[in-house]
Amino acid sequence: MTHEEYMKLALNEAKKAVKEGNAPFGVVAVDPDGEIAWKDHDRVKERIDPTAHGEINAIRSLCQKLKSLSLKGYAIYTTSEPCPTCLTACIKAQVSIVYYGAETESSASLPIKATELAKLSKKYPIQVKGGILAKECKAQRERFLKNINI
């Protein structure tokens, strides 16, 4: 599969999140052989848990499934640039690379660039690459924000 195909699956997960009353963020975890290992999405409102972001949910579930604390060799595809909490979880789980769609907005609660944070990881190096279907990912987020009462 291509990066775009994996991201389309993550976008589908983001649609599920919105249908369930959560924010439009989806994630696909891919194993070292290129097989889809896990799909998940934002579940913050569903679980009443501010840390239940798609990346965190995928890491927790996949580590449980594999009975391992390490996701070395795995890739995470996420529709939005990971927040510091999610990127740190990826680092702690030893994810090898994170691909994201839309960049974080400057109005995010903690707008630290994922690439900058990744540079600080010495024990478990991680790569971060963005811009995969960025337009589609950003449009999905903007549609969601238009429809909520802020």
Side-chain angles (χ1 to χ4, degrees), residues 45-57:
K45 287 187 179 178
E46 170 189 332
R47 294 184 178 165
I48 312 169
D49 177 356
T51 67
H53 292 188
E55 297 92 334
I56 301 291
N57 299 332

Side-chain angles (χ1 to χ4, degrees), residues 65-150:
K65 176 183 169 186
L66 299 172
K67 298 185 182 346
S68 175
L69 295 174
S70 175
L71 298 177
K72 192 170 187 172
Y74 281 74
I76 296 279
Y77 287 80
T78 180
T79 56
S80 186
E81 182 177 2
C83 72
T85 301
C86 290
L87 188 63
T88 300
C90 289
I91 291 167
K92 293 295 284 181
Q94 301 175 42
V95 170
S96 294
I97 189 162
V98 174
Y99 296 99
Y100 68 86
E103 289 194 2
T104 300
E105 298 294 318
S106 61
S107 61
S109 56
L110 193 56
I112 297 171
K113 301 303 293 172
T115 51
E116 293 303 310
L117 190 56
K119 288 178 189 174
L120 301 174
S121 180
K122 303 300 181 213
K123 186 174 180 182
Y124 303 121
I126 189 169
Q127 294 180 53
V128 176
K129 296 184 180 179
I132 299 167
L133 299 182
K135 265 174 122 171
E136 294 88 336
C137 293
K138 185 175 182 181
Q140 185 179 54
R141 183 172 61 208
E142 287 174 348
R143 279 192 305 275
F144 172 77
L145 292 173
K146 251 188 214 179
N147 293 319
I148 62 170
N149 296 324
I150 300 174

